[in-house]
Amino acid sequence: MLRQALLVASRSDGARKVVETAPFTGDVVRRFIAGETIEDAARVTDRLTGEGLLVTLDILGEDTHDKGRAEANVAQYIELLERLGAAGLGTRAEVSLKLSAVGQTFDEDLAMENARRVCEAARSAGTTVTLDMEEHTTVDSTLRIVHELRRDFPDVGAVVQAYLRRAEEHCAELAYEGSRVRLCKGAYSAPAAVAFTDREEVDKSFVRCMKVLMTGKGYPMLATHDPRLIDIAGALSVLHERDADTFEYQMLYGVRPQEQRRLAAQGAQVRVYVAFGREWYPYLMRRLAERPANLRFFVRSLAGRS
């Protein structure tokens, strides 16, 4: 119920105004968002990579309904990638791209071409792109674009959300050699007909999907902060004799940073999902919906106690 309410609030202008004007919201935003500018993101990337972590950067600004806005988002990504390339960070930092930010909401062909431009910029910078998965209604469209882009850019990453009932099927289809696949639980709302609504069922689906990916020939990117799932992932890597450089853990900026460093110190590949930009509100609300601990931190901040 609480998760559903937060997801609904992520699309509410009224709730957005309350959150944005609350006196201590900035404390929470700074915990989960790297800042508003490319310079802010570059500073955070320098720090994290200096600590032995990998990074994926997401410029916030999804669900675009305007061609001009989509073009502006593409330009930002190109600028960001040029910055990464110039700094020699291509081997340590990639970008995550939401197709709804570059036109998918109103024109799939436009989104395809815009994503292609971002992929070309990433190649020039010596890095890669992962296409984020969003609402369940966009899954087929997103996978079509992934498969098409992989004709020219085979390192384009795909995302599978374990809360969707077809997740295991999608993992099986994507677990081929050279295929980079991020597995996450999913942070969007979906009807029971297409998604698991019980947290335990989502966790079970995540484990089934991990087994498919870890036995496959691709490169699994396991996005979870759950200690139990991290332990299972480690056990699967031993069982299937996977070297540390054949898969990675992914975690969100601001969530369990000590665990990120612990895993990296043990030799694991750990990538931090770093979001930045002015359109932070929907992203923040999904982060709060994902973990009760995040919401408790937010409430304490609003009360002025953190």
Side-chain angles (χ1 to χ4, degrees), residues 28-285:
V28 186
V29 173
R30 281 188 291 273
R31 172 170 175 167
F32 298 111
I33 311 298
E36 294 192 348
T37 68
I38 288 175
E39 288 70 27
D40 293 331
R43 281 195 298 273
V44 170
T45 300
D46 286 340
R47 175 170 60 80
L48 292 174
T49 56
E51 294 171 355
L53 298 163
L54 304 171
V55 170
T56 185
L57 289 154
D58 172 23
I59 302 176
L60 299 173
E62 62 201 73
D63 203 22
T64 297
H65 296 268
D66 175 77
K67 188 174 181 179
R69 183 67 254 174
E71 175 64 30
N73 288 337
V74 172
Q76 266 199 300
Y77 268 98
I78 292 174
E79 182 183 352
L80 171 64
L81 286 160
E82 289 174 348
R83 177 73 173 262
L84 293 178
L89 289 170
T91 60
R92 305 292 297 172
E94 63 144 36
V95 299
S96 288
L97 175 67
K98 288 181 172 60
L99 290 172
S100 74
V102 294
Q104 184 186 40
T105 307
F106 59 92
D107 188 336
E108 183 176 314
D109 289 339
L110 176 65
M112 173 86 73
E113 290 311 307
N114 282 338
R116 185 179 298 277
R117 292 167 60 196
V118 176
C119 289
E120 288 170 349
R123 175 173 286 174
S124 296
T127 189
T128 57
V129 178
T130 295
L131 298 185
D132 278 334
M133 194 63 75
E134 302 179 69
E135 300 281 358
H136 72 280
T137 55
T138 67
V139 170
D140 290 341
S141 169
T142 299
L143 290 177
R144 280 195 298 271
I145 293 174
V146 167
H147 290 307
E148 182 61 30
L149 288 174
R150 281 183 172 182
R151 296 175 186 272
D152 298 317
F153 306 95
D155 56 5
V156 167
V159 176
V160 176
Q161 297 168 315
Y163 85 122
L164 295 178
R165 295 183 182 275
R166 295 181 62 194
E168 192 173 356
E169 172 191 339
H170 290 315
C171 284
E173 293 171 351
L174 289 164
Y176 54 83
E177 189 168 358
S179 176
R180 299 169 57 248
V181 184
R182 177 191 298 153
L183 175 65
C184 63
K185 289 187 179 181
Y188 293 86
S189 179
V194 299
F196 300 109
T197 56
D198 179 77
R199 185 176 296 275
E200 184 175 344
E201 288 301 319
V202 175
D203 288 351
K204 289 179 180 178
S205 175
F206 195 99
V207 173
R208 291 194 299 270
C209 289
M210 271 202 297
K211 289 179 178 178
V212 171
L213 294 175
M214 295 294 273
T215 58
K217 296 182 178 181
Y219 182 82
M221 303 182 288
L222 309 176
T224 180
H225 310 96
D226 190 321
R228 298 168 303 162
L229 297 180
I230 291 171
D231 287 345
I232 293 171
L236 288 172
S237 71
V238 173
L239 178 64
H240 299 294
E241 300 181 333
R242 274 190 171 269
D243 293 334
D245 62 354
T246 65
F247 75 102
E248 67 185 46
Y249 299 97
Q250 294 194 354
M251 296 187 188
L252 298 169
Y253 178 68
V255 181
R256 301 197 73 198
Q258 291 181 339
E259 177 66 1
Q260 296 170 15
R261 296 182 184 92
R262 183 188 73 81
L263 288 169
Q266 291 181 345
Q269 301 265 41
V270 182
R271 190 176 302 274
V272 184
Y273 189 102
V274 177
F276 72 98
R278 293 179 176 83
E279 297 297 319
W280 51 261
Y281 174 76
Y283 176 86
L284 174 64
M285 297 306 287

